[in-house]
Amino acid sequence: MPLAFLFPFSCMAIWAGNAIVSKLAVGVLSPAALALLGMVLNQTFGYYAAQTLGATEIGLMMGLTPLMTVLLSIWLLRERPTWGALLGGVISILGLAILLGQGDPARLFTQGIHIGSVYMLLSAGTYALYSVLLKKWDLGLDNWSMLYGQVLCSLLFLTPFYLLVDGQWPDGRALWLILYAGIPTSALSPWLWMQGIALLGASRTAIFMNLLPVMTAALAISWLGERLTSYHLIGGGMTLFGVLLAQLLVQPVVLRRRRVALAACRDE
């Protein structure tokens, strides 16, 4: 299908818009209410992160998801580590240190990691874990059945949390924020992503995740008036470069001793 790329591309555009919605919801709608009506756990962490982080930081840190997926696959699926995962992981960690330290990684040792950054790392990590477990545990359900099951589980777990934390129904100002979180982000984007995987394959579809920080930053600058700083460019650029390496350098790591043993076996 020539236009198959439009499915993951549209999904990333919706996710970028969701970062803007998360930021606009601050002071209008509680994270508990938005997460209840918007569903998914990784979004919950993202909404809490928006209380203290800019949309640009949210997009850059969410861009770590593909790398986290690769690393979790090595651990949980027993996939052989690749050079891209190792080199990309190191570069991304250095870039993340620059980003979290706002240009000075030493600040992480003196001031610690900001709570909003912790929420975003949890957000990216939960989505990566979700992706890996989907591959590890084949439930034999079609995509829409899986999505329906997620909606039911989210309502069961988040409704008591919403009632305890907030307990008040949002006012009219929050209506379009709720609609965006509930329909495009929670229902349409998963379908677009699954269609992309079906038509392009998981690896080619995952590359589109790298568009998320760029799209989010563009929307944050144009709609929210956020300022792009040098540490955003340097730290975020290093982080995304590491993610790209993890996806492009897929040659497995083979220790020298093992290569010698394999060569000896071939000679015999």
Side-chain angles (χ1 to χ4, degrees), residues 165-176:
V165 173
D166 195 328
Q168 296 181 349
W169 192 252
D171 59 31
R173 294 180 302 162
L175 178 60
W176 75 272

Side-chain angles (χ1 to χ4, degrees), residues 90-114:
V90 172
I91 294 174
S92 288
I93 289 174
L94 292 175
L96 189 62
I98 294 174
L99 184 64
L100 297 182
Q102 298 182 346
D104 182 13
R107 292 180 61 179
L108 297 179
F109 298 99
T110 58
Q111 300 181 14
I113 299 179
H114 196 279

Side-chain angles (χ1 to χ4, degrees), residues 23 44-54 58 115-117 119-120:
K23 196 63 185 174
T44 306
F45 287 125
Y47 295 141
Y48 274 100
Q51 302 290 302
T52 52
L53 289 184
I58 290 173
I115 185 62
S117 300
Y119 283 139
M120 275 314 303

Side-chain angles (χ1 to χ4, degrees), residues 28-84:
V28 177
L29 192 63
S30 76
L34 194 58
L36 169 66
L37 297 162
M39 204 178 70
V40 197
L41 184 60
N42 80 296
Q43 292 182 37
T44 306
F45 287 125
Y47 295 141
Y48 274 100
Q51 302 290 302
T52 52
L53 289 184
T56 303
E57 284 90 355
I58 290 173
L60 287 170
M61 295 185 70
M62 196 63 195
L64 281 169
T65 303
L67 176 61
M68 290 183 172
T69 303
V70 172
L71 297 177
L72 286 172
S73 296
I74 294 172
W75 174 39
L76 294 175
L77 302 180
R78 296 293 186 266
E79 293 183 357
R80 185 177 297 175
T82 64
W83 286 112

